[in-house]
Amino acid sequence: EDKVVQSPLSLVVHEGDTVTLNCSYEVTNFRSLLWYKQEKKAPTFLFMLTSSGIEKKSGRLSSILDKKELFSILNITATQTGDSAVYLCAVEGYSTLTFGKGTMLLVSP
Amino acid sequence: DAGITQSPRHKVTETGTPVTLRCHQTENHRYMYWYRQDPGHGLRLIHYSYGVKDTDKGEVSDGYSVSRSKTEDFLLTLESATSSQTSVYFCAISSDRFSSYEQYFGPGTRLTVT
């Protein structure tokens, strides 16, 4: 059975801090790993990762995949209150897409 | 925002009644998905479609059926709703399977089964 585990489950930081969110996985026939941000509505796409060691970057957010150790991290630098959300990791297998339970991030002013 | 709408947005129904949720897209995307999201479980795939009349099961398909008679519409049916199907249901679309950059989620339907 495919499995995706995110840590920590929740996190509170101060504005300006840097945070690292973790996603480890076990999946048959790995195809890709995806990160989403979910505020009080539908998830919105952040990154798709397919190759090890290649950092994807968008503004203050970046992510990298390690296919040997089966994990990914999502970094957010200089956090802002608008970064408060649940961050979801999902892994695509041959015919499946499995989500983790998410990390709830709260950025306090 | 991608052209995805879900109806109804909220529904309360009684145990044992049939319920149909509708997902409508205006993007002409090939793939459509139904997920449910529950506290402690995250998002789980129920069914997906890769074309008109082409569907497949996801992780939690028991108790659900789907139909896609037109590219733009993907229906999720609970034949006989149970309290365990109380959840928020999201529809998503993509031009390619799962890992497309263009997987967009609809606004969600909150279903309560009493």
Side-chain angles (χ1 to χ4, degrees), chain A residues 9-37:
Chain A
L9 289 181
S10 64
L11 187 58
V12 180
V13 301
H14 293 292
E15 215 167 12
D17 288 350
T18 293
V19 299
T20 298
L21 310 182
N22 304 291
C23 176
S24 65
Y25 63 89
E26 296 173 24
V27 65
T28 305
N29 296 316
F30 174 87
R31 288 181 59 140
S32 66
L33 184 145
L34 305 108
W35 284 98
Y36 290 87
K37 178 182 181 183

Side-chain angles (χ1 to χ4, degrees), chain A:
Chain A
E1 182 181 323
D2 296 345
K3 191 190 300 186
V4 178
V5 177
Q6 293 187 244
S7 64
L9 289 181
S10 64
L11 187 58
V12 180
V13 301
H14 293 292
E15 215 167 12
D17 288 350
T18 293
V19 299
T20 298
L21 310 182
N22 304 291
C23 176
S24 65
Y25 63 89
E26 296 173 24
V27 65
T28 305
N29 296 316
F30 174 87
R31 288 181 59 140
S32 66
L33 184 145
L34 305 108
W35 284 98
Y36 290 87
K37 178 182 181 183
Q38 186 174 24
E39 298 170 270
K40 291 183 180 178
K41 44 185 181 178
T44 54
F45 174 85
L46 293 175
F47 297 112
M48 180 185 76
L49 303 153
T50 56
S51 302
S52 275
I54 298 175
E55 186 181 52
K56 291 284 183 89
K57 208 167 163 62
S58 176
R60 297 176 292 103
L61 277 68
S62 63
S63 184
I64 197 160
L65 174 67
D66 186 326
K67 289 168 71 173
K68 183 179 176 187
E69 300 297 329
L70 308 182
F71 77 91
S72 174
I73 60 172
L74 175 69
N75 279 323
I76 309 175
T77 59
T79 51
Q80 302 171 356
T81 55
D83 295 325
S84 295
V86 175
Y87 290 84
L88 300 170
C89 172
V91 177
E92 181 188 4
Y94 177 70
S95 62
T96 62
L97 183 65
T98 304
F99 280 81
K101 295 179 182 180
T103 293
M104 182 180 296
L105 173 65
L106 178 62
V107 181
S108 62

